[in-house]
């Protein structure tokens, strides 16, 4: 019964609009859902149901369909996306394919059209990736992305790409389509991209560009290395105007926060979620959700704040206000009663100047 309820709860109505519904679904995918279950002697406990195993990609089931038929609300604008990819039965990518003689822009426009309320937005509310391809050219985006913001992916990890191509494309010359499908949809890569590199900002859903992804990977690699005196190297990442430097810093801060919380031994073994509460021109408000035992709430709070401040200072990420000014709240009046007494669901809001 809880499994059926979990699937029903994930199917958010579109009453708040496509992107807002997509955000609610994304939060549920990251955090899971808590449901009561009766155990021995009639005792009822709450258990967290995970839609996706983020820590162990190999535990998930991946499927692909072609010509996936979806009915529109009025049955007059039905559509059949060429390819839909699923994780554990949940659609996460919609791909429109064209012949090499047809511009990839036509596939982009078709994807955008199909997201309109007259067509099949009920499919795209689940999607984290939307792709257009004609074999020789590929563009990708996410739900609600305008045409001018669709991106191309240029793989920088050549060893990873060449190894995968040698394994999966053995009887012909690899195409640009092959390269992009491997780069974006290899199991470990797509789990990482969905978990860490999708953001919501003021009812706009965003996914990283390849430059941001590889820049953050290099930053993390650099800051994890120290010399014999414990010092770490600095570095510079060049951005042009409008290239997404704020998002790069947001994604870096998100990665660091995830690392710090996952290293906290007192937290409970539930999923951690770092999300954007508000993204401005020069600052970002990040929210952080995770589980801790109630009696450890305050010790974890103050220790984590201190660790965040030290780490952000080391990475030259400025923070607005003193750690004591950070905000911790419980989600929703009375909502904590749905969880076992030993657990609480705190939110930390931090302010990072970019």
């Amino acid at each position: 019964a809880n499994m059926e309820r979990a699937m029903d709860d994930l199917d958010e109505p579109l009453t708040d609009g496509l992107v807002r519904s997509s955000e609610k679904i994304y939060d549920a995918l990251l955090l899971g859902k808590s449901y009561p279950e009766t155990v021995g002697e009639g005792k009822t406990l709450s258990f967290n149901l995970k839609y996706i195993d983020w820590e162990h990609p190999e535990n998930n089931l991946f499927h692909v369909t072609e010509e996936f038929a979806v009915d529109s609300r009025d049955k007059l604008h039905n559509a059949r996306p060429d390819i839909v990819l699923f994780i554990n039965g949940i659609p996460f990518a919609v791909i429109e394919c064209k012949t090499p003689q047809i511009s990839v822009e036509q596939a982009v426009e078709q994807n955008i059209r199909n997201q309109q309320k007259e067509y099949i937005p009920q499919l795209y509310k689940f999607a984290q990736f939307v792709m257009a391809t004609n074999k020789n050219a590929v563009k990708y985006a996410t739900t609600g992305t305008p045409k001018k913001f669709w991106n191309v992916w240029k793989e920088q990890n050549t060893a990873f790409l060449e190894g995968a191509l040698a394994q999966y494309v053995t009887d012909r010359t690899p195409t640009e389509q092959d390269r992009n499908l491997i780069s974006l949809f290899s199991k470990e890569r797509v789990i990482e991209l969905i978990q860490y590199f999708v953001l919501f900002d003021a009812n706009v859903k965003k996914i990283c560009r390849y430059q941001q992804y590889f820049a953050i990977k290099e930053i993390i690699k650099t800051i994890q290395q120290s010399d014999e005196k414990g010092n770490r190297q600095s570095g510079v990442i060049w951005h042009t105007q409008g290239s997404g430097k704020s998002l790069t810093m947001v994604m870096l801060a998100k990665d660091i926060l995830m690392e710090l919380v996952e290293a906290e031994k007192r937290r409970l073994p539930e999923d951690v979620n770092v999300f954007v509460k508000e993204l401005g021109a020069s600052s970002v408000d990040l929210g952080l959700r995770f589980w801790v035992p109630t009696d450890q709430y305050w010790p974890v709070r103050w220790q984590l704040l201190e660790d965040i401040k030290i780490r952000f200072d080391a990475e030259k990420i400025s923070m607005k206000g003193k750690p004591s000014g950070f905000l911790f709240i419980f989600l929703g009046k009375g909502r904590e009663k749905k969880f076992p007494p030993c657990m609480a669901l705190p939110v930390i809001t931090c302010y990072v100047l970019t």
Side-chain angles (χ1 to χ4, degrees), residues 95-329:
I95 305 173
E96 287 293 345
C97 306
K98 300 298 177 185
T99 64
Q101 294 76 29
I102 298 177
S103 170
V104 72
E105 302 301 327
Q106 186 171 323
V108 171
E109 292 167 359
Q110 188 172 341
N111 260 315
I112 293 174
R113 182 206 67 184
N114 285 345
Q115 296 178 55
Q116 304 306 308
K117 63 181 180 180
E118 296 84 4
Y119 285 84
I120 55 169
Q122 68 270 27
L123 172 63
Y124 286 86
K125 68 184 181 182
F126 294 101
Q128 311 306 322
F129 283 90
V130 185
M131 178 178 281
T133 175
N134 70 354
K135 191 174 79 169
N136 297 320
V138 180
K139 286 190 172 183
Y140 75 98
T142 190
T143 304
T145 304
K147 183 179 178 179
K148 66 179 180 179
F149 293 120
W150 283 59
N151 297 309
V152 296
W153 185 275
K154 297 181 180 180
E155 183 62 42
Q156 304 298 296
N157 187 342
T158 54
F160 156 75
L161 180 58
E162 295 304 322
L165 286 171
Q167 179 179 357
Y168 298 117
V169 186
T170 60
D171 57 349
R172 55 180 171 79
T173 301
T175 64
E176 190 65 21
Q177 179 175 279
D178 295 323
R179 296 185 180 90
N180 276 262
L181 290 175
I182 288 172
S183 294
L184 292 172
F185 299 136
S186 294
K187 293 179 181 179
E188 291 77 9
R189 174 71 65 80
V190 76
I191 289 290
E192 180 186 31
L193 287 170
I194 294 173
Q195 185 178 16
Y196 294 108
F197 295 92
V198 173
L199 301 173
F200 291 84
D201 169 40
N203 205 35
V204 177
K205 187 174 183 180
K206 302 177 180 180
I207 192 167
C208 70
R209 301 172 180 175
Y210 78 92
Q211 300 98 322
Q212 295 165 324
Y213 173 80
F214 289 108
I216 291 168
K217 298 290 283 186
E218 287 300 314
I219 292 172
I220 295 300
K221 185 191 302 183
T222 298
I223 65 180
Q224 288 176 342
Q225 297 174 349
S226 303
D227 60 22
E228 63 277 3
K229 296 182 179 180
N231 299 318
R232 287 178 292 188
Q233 288 186 333
S234 299
V236 175
I237 295 178
W238 290 98
H239 286 78
T240 57
Q241 186 174 2
S243 61
K245 55 184 177 295
S246 294
L247 289 179
T248 302
M249 187 58 70
V250 170
M251 293 171 183
L252 173 60
K254 182 177 179 180
D255 192 288
I256 293 172
L257 288 172
M258 290 287 287
E259 177 188 335
L260 289 172
V261 175
E262 289 174 350
E264 172 54 63
K265 299 185 184 305
R266 290 167 291 185
R267 73 175 180 88
L268 294 169
E270 307 292 344
D271 287 333
V272 179
N273 185 20
V274 180
F275 55 96
V276 176
K277 294 175 68 67
E278 183 176 355
L279 178 61
S282 61
S283 66
V284 59
D285 296 355
L286 291 173
L288 174 60
R289 292 189 188 132
F290 63 100
W291 293 82
V292 294
T294 301
D295 61 354
Q296 293 295 312
Y297 174 78
W298 289 104
V300 171
R301 164 184 169 148
W302 296 118
Q303 183 61 56
L304 182 61
L305 290 173
E306 181 179 346
D307 292 344
I308 291 172
K309 182 68 168 65
I310 293 172
R311 184 63 178 274
F312 277 16
D313 283 347
E315 313 309 340
K316 308 303 181 185
I317 301 176
S318 300
M319 295 171 58
K320 180 181 178 181
K322 298 179 179 179
S324 59
F326 283 51
L327 173 64
F328 272 72
I329 60 174

Side-chain angles (χ1 to χ4, degrees), residues 83-99:
I83 298 174
V84 179
L85 307 180
F86 296 80
I87 299 177
N88 300 335
I90 302 165
F92 74 90
V94 182
I95 305 173
E96 287 293 345
C97 306
K98 300 298 177 185
T99 64

